[in-house]
């Protein structure tokens, strides 16, 4: 589950069509800079294009200026093409030296295949140890060993909302699922879609299932699924979560035509800041998209945010969060000794250093750096950045996005099955049986 940020001109070009249910095209893909993929001349890295691209590029440019003999070449790709390309490259032993990832099941598959290096010694180095928030660094471990280290901002999912639209119906942010459902008919009566979401991309649907499973049954539900426990997708919390999703869809909780709305173009978020939809459940990229496309919406105090509501009678801690703890660098086992040495040296000295962290903050991304509070106080939107930092650092449980926490095959399956739930093409019980089959497979 990832997100990209696009300009206001791009997203507004498709608003009128979107409101009528017409699809807007996705973003472009492909590399934008030259470089080797591994086993070539010097170390290499692939990064994701979008809002944080400049922060990554600046970091590597700074490194290359002072390390003539340990150059790291850079290529950037759009999110979805990258995911497809990196799987193929890692499997073929032709990945870049530094592998950009999300942790979870995909990282575990790399470890099992011997595709990435054990970085435990580097993680324990005094120069690096303690640099990251422990809960975020933990996601890069498999079997007690470190195979990946954080390289990006923390990404807890929250509900973002348009304050003007809430004021229009005299509403307050809902604290419970019951309160959320009660807002749906009020917004509809005012001609406002309660939620915007990109059903086309599939992954923006995932937080709904993750949060509801947690709020209903607690972290044990997800833990059983990730452990491959037989029949774990049939847990009552999973069934109930999907029933609640379908109830929200049936009640008109989402903008019409959401199945065709793109997120790579930023069209889903544009519906909120242009007054067509009241809320969006999303990553911090929601804030970054608005900051890029319509910064006045933020500076005028029109953007609000709140944690995912509780579920009446649920077992989950309201402070638990879902999303992406961060992104991570792994070092390819297929790289040469010199390339590995360059990657390790870069991680040790430059990864999420002060300049790197400052670049992330400039684009609304909160780095998982320990003791960041003083730096947050001097940012352009200290209250928002503190909210993100505290949500991530204080969460009793931080559930990684399902498409990344599961194996690649199971991740693809849950994306398809959940989209079918939202479109009412399958029942919650059919969803469970479909996903249970991926466990035995």
């Amino acid at each position: 589950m990832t997100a990209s940020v696009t300009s206001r001109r791009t997203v507004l070009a498709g608003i009128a069509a979107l409101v009528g249910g017409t699809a807007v095209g996705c973003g472009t893909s492909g590399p934008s800079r030259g470089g080797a993929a591994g086993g070539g001349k010097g170390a290499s890295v692939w990064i994701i294009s979008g809002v944080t691209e400049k922060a990554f590029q600046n970091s590597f440019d700074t490194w290359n200026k002072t390390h003539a003999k340990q150059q790291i070449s850079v290529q950037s790709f759009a999110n979805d093409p990258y995911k497809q390309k990196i799987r193929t490259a890692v499997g073929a032993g032709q990945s870049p030296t530094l592998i950009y990832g999300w942790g979870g099941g995909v990282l575990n598959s790399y470890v099992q295949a011997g595709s990435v290096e054990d970085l435990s010694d580097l993680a324990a180095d005094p120069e690096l140890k303690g640099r990251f928030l422990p809960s975020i660094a933990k996601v890069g471990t498999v079997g007690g060993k470190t195979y990946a280290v954080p390289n990006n901002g923390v990404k807890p999912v929250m509900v973002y909302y348009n304050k003007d639209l809430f004021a229009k119906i005299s509403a307050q942010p809902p604290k419970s699922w019951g309160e959320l459902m009660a807002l749906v008919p009020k917004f509809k009566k005012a001609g406002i879609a309660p939620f915007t979401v990109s059903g086309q991309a599939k992954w923006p649907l995932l937080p709904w299932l993750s949060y509801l499973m947690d709020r209903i049954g607690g972290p044990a539900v997800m833990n059983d699924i990730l452990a491959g426990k037989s029949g774990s997708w049939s847990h009552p919390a999973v069934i109930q979560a999907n029933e609640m999703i379908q109830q929200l869809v049936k009640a008109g909780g989402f903008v019409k035509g959401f199945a065709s709305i793109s997120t790579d173009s930023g069209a889903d978020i544009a519906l909120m800041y242009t007054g067509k939809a009241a809320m969006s459940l999303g990553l911090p990229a929601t804030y970054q998209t608005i900051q890029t496309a319509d910064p006045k919406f933020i500076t005028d105090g029109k953007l609000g945010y709140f944690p995912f509501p509780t579920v009446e009678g649920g077992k989950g801690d309201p402070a638990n969060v879902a999303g992406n703890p961060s992104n991570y660098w792994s070092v390819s086992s297929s790289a040469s000794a010199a390339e590995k040495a360059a990657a390790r040296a870069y991680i040790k000295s430059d990864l999420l250093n002060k300049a790197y962290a400052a670049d992330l903050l400039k684009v609304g991304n909160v780095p998982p750096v320990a003791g960041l509070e003083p730096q947050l106080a001097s940012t352009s939107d200290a209250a928002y950045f503190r909210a993100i930092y505290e949500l991530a650092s204080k969460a009793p449980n931080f559930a990684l996005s399902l498409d990344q926490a599961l194996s690649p095959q199971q991740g693809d399956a849950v994306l398809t099955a959940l989209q079918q739930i939202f479109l009412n093409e399958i029942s919650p019980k059919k969803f469970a049986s479909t996903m249970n089959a991926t466990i035995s497979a």
Side-chain angles (χ1 to χ4, degrees), residues 100-108 139-141 148 326-328 400 404-406:
Y100 183 99
W102 288 260
V106 176
L107 176 61
N108 184 60
V139 178
T141 64
S326 187
N327 295 109
Y328 297 81
L400 177 62
Q404 298 300 324
L406 296 166

Side-chain angles (χ1 to χ4, degrees), residues 42-272:
S44 57
V45 62
W46 294 348
I47 61 176
I48 303 295
S49 59
V51 67
T52 58
E53 181 178 4
K54 185 176 181 180
F56 283 92
Q57 189 67 57
N58 285 348
S59 180
F60 288 113
D61 286 347
T62 299
W63 170 266
N64 287 335
K65 287 177 183 177
T66 55
H67 296 81
K69 295 183 178 180
Q70 289 187 312
Q71 296 286 289
I72 301 176
S73 61
V74 182
Q75 281 184 284
S76 67
F77 296 86
N79 176 66
D80 288 346
Y82 170 80
K83 288 181 178 178
Q84 297 167 5
K85 187 175 179 65
I86 195 64
R87 286 188 194 179
T88 302
V90 171
Q94 297 179 345
S95 68
T97 313
L98 283 166
I99 300 172
Y100 183 99
W102 288 260
V106 176
L107 176 61
N108 184 60
S109 70
Y110 292 166
V111 173
Q112 299 307 316
S115 300
V116 292
E117 294 285 291
D118 182 353
L119 303 178
S120 298
D121 60 322
L122 189 59
D125 189 289
E127 191 170 337
L128 194 65
K129 186 178 181 181
R131 188 180 301 176
F132 314 117
L133 292 173
S135 61
I136 306 302
K138 185 178 180 181
V139 178
T141 64
V142 175
K145 296 181 179 180
T146 297
Y147 291 92
V149 289
N151 67 12
N152 207 341
V154 293
K155 300 177 181 180
V157 169
M158 302 195 287
V159 181
Y160 293 83
Y161 71 100
N162 185 320
K163 290 183 178 180
D164 285 351
L165 299 186
F166 267 65
K168 186 174 182 179
I169 66 166
S170 300
Q172 295 297 319
K175 295 181 179 180
S176 69
W177 184 260
E179 291 179 4
L180 184 150
M181 290 297 294
L183 289 178
V184 172
K186 295 179 181 179
F187 278 121
K188 288 182 64 182
K189 186 177 180 180
I192 301 165
F195 280 94
T196 176
V197 71
S198 168
Q200 182 190 78
K202 299 181 183 178
W203 62 258
L205 308 175
L206 292 172
W208 289 97
L209 178 59
S210 294
Y211 265 124
L212 285 170
M213 286 194 308
D214 181 86
R215 294 294 191 261
I216 296 165
V221 179
M222 177 82 83
N223 292 341
D224 284 348
I225 289 170
L226 297 182
K229 183 178 178 180
S230 178
S232 54
W233 287 100
S234 294
H235 191 287
V238 182
I239 302 296
Q240 184 181 345
N242 280 321
E243 289 174 345
M244 293 168 71
I245 288 170
Q246 291 189 327
Q247 289 167 2
L248 180 59
V249 174
K250 185 176 180 180
F254 296 97
V255 64
K256 290 182 180 180
F258 71 86
S260 300
I261 296 175
S262 167
T263 192
D264 282 344
S265 67
D268 51 344
I269 308 306
L271 291 173
M272 182 177 66

Side-chain angles (χ1 to χ4, degrees), residues 228-367:
K229 183 178 178 180
S230 178
S232 54
W233 287 100
S234 294
H235 191 287
V238 182
I239 302 296
Q240 184 181 345
N242 280 321
E243 289 174 345
M244 293 168 71
I245 288 170
Q246 291 189 327
Q247 289 167 2
L248 180 59
V249 174
K250 185 176 180 180
F254 296 97
V255 64
K256 290 182 180 180
F258 71 86
S260 300
I261 296 175
S262 167
T263 192
D264 282 344
S265 67
D268 51 344
I269 308 306
L271 291 173
M272 182 177 66
Y273 65 74
T274 57
K276 308 298 190 301
M279 296 173 278
S280 177
L281 179 66
L283 294 161
T286 302
Y287 181 97
Q288 296 153 10
T289 296
I290 300 171
Q291 186 181 50
T292 299
D294 190 4
K296 198 169 184 294
F297 185 81
I298 295 175
T299 57
D300 285 351
K302 296 182 178 182
L303 179 65
Y305 39 87
F306 58 89
F308 192 87
T310 61
V311 171
E312 294 84 348
K315 298 178 181 178
D317 190 321
N320 288 345
V321 296
N324 295 328
S326 187
N327 295 109
Y328 297 81
W329 288 133
S330 294
V331 176
S332 172
S333 296
S334 62
S336 70
E339 291 164 351
K340 292 176 185 177
R344 282 172 163 268
Y346 165 79
I347 289 172
K348 182 177 177 179
S349 69
D350 285 26
L351 179 59
L352 287 176
N353 61 17
K354 189 173 182 179
Y356 190 153
D359 277 347
L360 288 176
L361 283 169
K362 286 177 186 176
V363 293
N365 225 346
V366 181

Side-chain angles (χ1 to χ4, degrees), residues 21 294 381 384 404 416 435:
D294 190 4
D381 195 344
Y384 172 74
Q404 298 300 324
T416 298
M435 292 309 302

